[in-house]
Amino acid sequence: MSTTNNELRVGMVGYAFMGAAHSQAWRTVNRVYDLPARARMALICGRDAGKVADAADRLGWDEHTTDWRELVNRPDIDVVDICTPGDSHAEIALAALAAGKHVLCEKPLANTVAEAREMAAAAATAQAGGARSMCGFNYRRVPAVALMRQLIADGRLGEIRHVRATYLQDWIVDPQFPLVWRLRKEVSGSGALGDIGAHIIDLTQYVTGQRISGVSAVTETFVKERPLPAESSGLAAQADGAGAATGPVTVDDAAIFVARLDGGALATYEATRFATGRKNALRVEINGSLGSVAFDLERLNELEFLDATRPAAEQGFNRILVTEAEHPYLSAWWPPGHIIGYEHSFTHQMRDFIEAVATGVDPSPSFAEALQVQLVLDAVTRSAELGSSWAAVEPSMATAAA
């Protein structure tokens, strides 16, 4: 599909947390970057007519609808942006790809490996007709993360030996927090594992260039029954009053696993929504034969770097303030030392997606790459179900072709 009048008309399905984040990025990206095509926020879709109308006005969309099929099939829509819960990713993406649309889909790609395989296959078929697809792992687009990848690719850490990754939150510590959709497997696919664990799986594979080949895992659900919510909602939901009926939590609250990467590195991963006091604490540290590097999302403009080739008396972790124009993504933003935030990762994501679509290049992470992350999630689940037995990660189309 080619752009019309150098314009990409975007239709987005979903308007809650991720919908708002994506909308901010679509509004901003062409005002910051000089791109080969301009994004137009043409149509937003949601199930509730009143709420989606309000969202269209508040977030800056031209039109709104309650029928995602209308959005997918409209001939004037070039891009379908999927910001819905995981149970609808596959159906919407498959229909959009069949209609020849470019597709951006939030992570994790799907709720099951079977769905993810079907989506990756459909994306490969649609690619022949010019339709591009990408999965939205936005933390790849944090400048400090991109710099971490660059340092590793340039050999500054030498042989990678250890990968250490945690993603800690606490928003469901209270047992009276309601049974929102993220706590129901039929909607979300998994709990902390898929919601935040997928991020650190993708991020560590991205920066190291190595893939997870096998895992040994444990998972736990600490609160097994919760009050039903007053309405379907997200991170700030309210229970349906005192004495509300309850329902079973059908996903994991926490997942911990050790892993081996195909380049020889050993890795540890922890994803939990029960780390009391931790709000959005993603941290990754990579240790190599020539140095180490560490990133903390709550200090996202900084990177810790140790160069072990320096004399012992001069060694120590250096704080790199990632705000220079020559750092990834930052040439279009502020003078050095003027920091950016969480929302900028989505603007950078849209920049990369628009450039890829407009120039006919395959964006990354592709659906095939996102399928590989899904296969790691599946291996973690299988291992935990079998008492932490070692589980190999099944090959994806991407690894089979490599």
Side-chain angles (χ1 to χ4, degrees), residues 6-276:
N6 226 33
E7 184 177 73
L8 282 171
R9 294 176 58 87
V10 181
M12 188 176 76
V13 188
Y15 55 79
F17 173 27
M18 276 299 103
H22 282 223
S23 295
Q24 193 275 346
W26 288 121
R27 285 196 310 270
T28 304
V29 64
N30 288 116
R31 294 174 171 86
V32 176
Y33 292 102
D34 184 14
L35 295 170
R38 294 192 62 82
R40 178 163 181 176
M41 297 167 66
L43 182 62
I44 186 172
C45 177
R47 289 174 294 185
D48 185 293
K51 290 182 178 179
V52 75
D54 290 343
D57 182 63
R58 174 170 46 87
L59 300 176
W61 293 85
D62 293 345
E63 300 178 63
H64 56 86
T65 180
T66 58
D67 185 357
W68 67 260
R69 292 174 181 81
E70 174 197 346
L71 181 150
V72 162
N73 290 308
R74 268 183 45 167
D76 60 335
I77 296 298
D78 304 303
V79 174
V80 175
D81 184 2
I82 304 171
C83 295
T84 59
D87 62 335
S88 59
H89 285 188
E91 185 179 18
I92 299 171
L94 292 171
L97 290 167
K101 311 296 186 182
H102 308 293
V103 177
L104 173 61
C105 182
E106 257 303 319
K107 49 56 60 187
L109 185 63
N111 275 5
T112 67
V113 167
E115 288 177 343
R117 286 193 185 280
E118 187 177 7
M119 293 167 73
T125 299
Q127 179 185 346
R132 309 291 168 176
S133 53
M134 187 173 88
C135 190
F137 284 101
N138 64 295
Y139 292 139
R140 286 189 177 203
R141 270 73 188 193
V142 173
V145 170
L147 179 61
M148 175 187 276
R149 172 182 165 90
Q150 184 177 312
L151 290 170
I152 294 172
D154 289 345
R156 298 293 299 277
L157 268 62
E159 177 188 351
I160 302 304
R161 292 168 174 166
H162 287 289
V163 173
R164 204 166 293 106
T166 59
Y167 202 159
L168 315 177
Q169 297 178 342
D170 74 349
W171 59 274
I172 55 173
V173 166
D174 182 356
Q176 294 305 305
F177 188 89
L179 188 69
V180 296
W181 68 264
R182 292 176 188 271
L183 305 180
R184 296 165 49 209
K185 185 173 183 176
E186 70 273 19
V187 182
S188 62
S190 65
L193 175 61
D195 187 20
I196 56 180
H199 271 302
I200 52 177
I201 290 167
D202 178 74
L203 192 155
T204 53
Q205 293 188 137
Y206 172 67
V207 299
T208 62
Q210 297 187 26
R211 296 178 185 273
I212 296 171
S213 58
V215 303
S216 174
V218 291
T219 60
E220 183 58 70
T221 303
F222 297 111
V223 177
K224 296 177 172 56
E225 289 272 337
R226 289 186 177 273
L228 300 179
E231 60 178 294
S232 178
S233 186
L235 306 185
Q238 299 293 320
D240 196 12
T246 64
V249 176
T250 51
V251 299
D252 58 278
D253 287 332
I256 300 174
F257 61 98
V258 296
R260 185 176 291 277
L261 279 65
D262 60 9
L266 300 180
T268 62
Y269 294 83
E270 180 182 6
T272 180
R273 301 191 289 214
F274 269 74
T276 306

Side-chain angles (χ1 to χ4, degrees), residues 303-384:
L303 198 62
E304 296 176 75
F305 175 58
L306 180 141
D307 183 353
T309 66
R310 296 185 63 81
E314 300 175 6
Q315 285 186 27
F317 276 94
N318 294 308
R319 168 181 171 267
I320 302 174
L321 185 61
V322 188
T323 59
E324 298 291 330
E326 56 264 38
H327 285 142
Y329 297 107
L330 290 170
S331 61
W333 292 106
W334 319 121
H338 292 69
I339 61 176
I340 62 170
Y342 168 79
E343 72 276 12
H344 293 77
S345 65
F346 293 95
T347 304
H348 302 158
Q349 177 174 274
M350 301 324 181
R351 188 205 78 162
D352 290 350
F353 184 73
I354 292 170
E355 282 192 339
V357 166
T359 59
V361 173
D362 293 328
S364 181
S366 66
F367 277 18
E369 291 174 274
L371 164 61
Q372 193 275 334
V373 173
Q374 200 85 40
L375 290 164
V376 176
L377 299 176
D378 178 69
V380 171
T381 301
R382 287 188 284 112
S383 173

